[in-house]
Amino acid sequence: MEEIRQKILKVLTTIPAGVRYSTSDWGRILGDDKRGIRRVLDDLEAEGTIVVERDEGRPDKPLYRLKEVG
């Protein structure tokens, strides 16, 4: 799980602020199992490292982005 975490954080810190990815996007980008990715994303959300946005039209497809500092 730590490897997935590091990959997610690396991508989020290198892309422009505010870019959001879904769980499916992370599966394609990282090539890892979506269930493991989802667990790591949930942990990062609980820590306050990332922000989860849910579209009213697609609440089943949350989007994740790095929490802005400041």
Side-chain angles (χ1 to χ4, degrees):
M1 292 299 180
E2 184 61 30
E3 182 180 329
I4 293 172
R5 178 187 174 89
Q6 293 307 316
K7 288 179 186 179
I8 289 172
L9 292 174
K10 180 178 181 180
V11 170
L12 288 174
T13 56
T14 58
I15 60 173
V19 174
R20 306 169 304 171
Y21 290 111
S22 70
T23 307
S24 296
D25 294 331
W26 283 114
R28 285 191 298 273
I29 292 167
L30 304 179
D32 290 301
D33 179 63
K34 288 182 191 176
R35 290 170 293 189
I37 291 169
R38 185 61 181 255
R39 281 193 298 266
V40 172
L41 290 168
D42 288 344
D43 290 346
L44 289 169
E45 178 188 13
E47 295 171 5
T49 303
I50 63 172
V51 174
V52 179
E53 299 175 1
R54 287 178 170 50
D55 184 343
E56 289 182 26
R58 289 292 311 265
D60 61 320
K61 188 174 183 180
L63 298 172
Y64 303 89
R65 67 176 173 83
L66 195 60
K67 184 174 184 178
E68 296 178 25
V69 179

